[in-house]
Amino acid sequence: MDIFPLPRLGLVVPPENPLAEPEFNRLVGAELNVYSARFPLTPGMGVKETMLRYNDVLEDTLGTFGRMRLDAAVVACNASHYLLGPEGDRAFVAELSERFGYPVQSTTQAILAVCEQFGISRLTLVSPYWDWLTETSRAFWEQAGVTVDRVVLAPAVPGEKDEDHEFDPYRVTTRTLLERIRAAGLPDEGAVLFTGTGMGTLAALAELDREFRRTTLLTSNLAAAWWARRAVGAACAEVHPLLERLERGAAR
């Protein structure tokens, strides 16, 4: 296949995120060429300070693509956009889109686009985050009009009690996700959102598909891939099974 005519998707990723590019490439397959830029390192900063810094430097980071023609770009970082709130997030990406001349989308706004498209107004939130960021995430969705029925925590290292958990989105295992979801006893119908672009979810979703067939399974990267395909007008005979499942399941 001649790759040069394919649409180009820019992906802005936190420097330590090990999952965003691999998941995007698996989800969009031969439909798009994915090119990434990474936020700068923030030595000595805490998580919240780092997320705020990402928002400050996002325009400059997008600018590092230089004169490469992009058809669209995705900011693959939920946490920094949670801090903006739904309206601030929407205004921010709209401003960037106008500035660069191609659609720029955050993963948070991509999730909201999926919810709007398929009428999702309630969800279970699976969070790999610390308490403060989990609550910030919950508040973001509720302010956007999406009710969070419950939260399922996905720690990197589970403790005997919630307060003993160790959190790091990049170290959450498929085993932990499956154990947490199964223990939560999800309903047969409804929507589940796995938040975080650096939490590996594809293997877990493939397994959960067989157990919760009427449940809409949604992740940050899945929603962003869904949005990106539409933003660039991609079309492929072989759509990734999880994207196909999202379309089929959410449309019920």
Side-chain angles (χ1 to χ4, degrees):
M1 172 179 285
D2 185 354
I3 68 170
F4 293 105
L6 293 178
R8 297 175 180 177
L9 176 69
L11 198 64
V12 179
V13 185
E16 298 90 355
N17 186 323
L19 264 299
E21 292 104 328
E23 287 203 348
F24 265 84
N25 279 302
R26 287 183 63 185
L27 288 166
V28 300
E31 294 186 281
L32 303 173
N33 286 331
V34 180
Y35 304 90
S36 63
R38 292 186 116 70
F39 284 116
L41 292 170
T42 55
M45 287 189 179
V47 174
K48 188 171 184 178
E49 291 175 293
T50 295
M51 297 303 108
L52 292 170
R53 177 64 176 159
Y54 287 172
N55 289 335
D56 289 339
V57 300
L58 177 52
E59 182 176 337
D60 290 341
T61 306
L62 280 167
T64 64
F65 286 108
R67 294 195 296 175
M68 180 191 293
R69 178 192 57 79
L70 293 178
D71 295 285
V74 167
V75 187
C77 183
N78 281 30
S80 57
H81 289 257
Y82 283 146
L83 297 175
L84 298 171
E87 292 305 317
D89 184 19
R90 186 176 295 110
F92 191 24
V93 294
E95 180 182 337
L96 290 169
S97 299
E98 184 175 355
R99 163 72 175 81
F100 286 96
Y102 54 77
V104 177
Q105 186 69 297
S106 61
T107 45
T108 40
Q109 288 300 314
I111 293 167
L112 287 175
V114 170
C115 291
E116 181 178 356
Q117 176 72 21
F118 298 113
I120 297 171
S121 60
R122 313 185 72 89
L123 56 80
T124 293
L125 180 66
V126 182
S127 174
Y129 298 140
W130 308 264
D131 287 347
W132 70 268
L133 189 49
T134 295
E135 288 308 308
T136 301
S137 171
R138 181 207 289 267
F140 181 98
W141 302 119
E142 301 246 344
Q143 289 167 20
V146 180
T147 300
V148 177
D149 290 323
R150 58 177 164 170
V151 174
V152 177
L153 295 177
V157 181
E160 291 186 8
K161 302 177 181 178
D162 284 356
E163 56 266 29
D164 298 328
H165 294 332
E166 183 178 331
F167 290 95
D168 180 347
Y170 305 146
R171 292 164 50 213
V172 177
T173 65
T174 297
R175 178 179 177 179
T176 293
L177 285 175
L178 292 174
E179 288 177 349
R180 289 271 154 173
I181 292 299
R182 287 162 177 161
L186 297 181
D188 291 336
E189 299 186 33
V192 180
L193 170 62
F194 299 76
T195 181
T197 63
M199 179 172 68
T201 57
L202 296 188
L205 262 61
E207 184 73 19
L208 293 170
D209 177 30
R210 295 187 281 272
E211 300 177 37
F212 301 96
R213 301 197 68 87
R214 293 189 59 82
T215 302
T216 299
L217 302 173
L218 183 60
T219 77
S220 304
N221 292 334
L222 189 62
W226 176 90
W227 173 85
R229 292 180 70 247
R230 282 150 185 77
V232 303
C236 182
E238 295 185 10
V239 178
H240 191 282
L242 288 173
L243 283 167
E244 185 178 29
R245 184 192 193 279
L246 175 62
E247 292 267 11
R248 183 177 67 250
R252 280 194 295 263

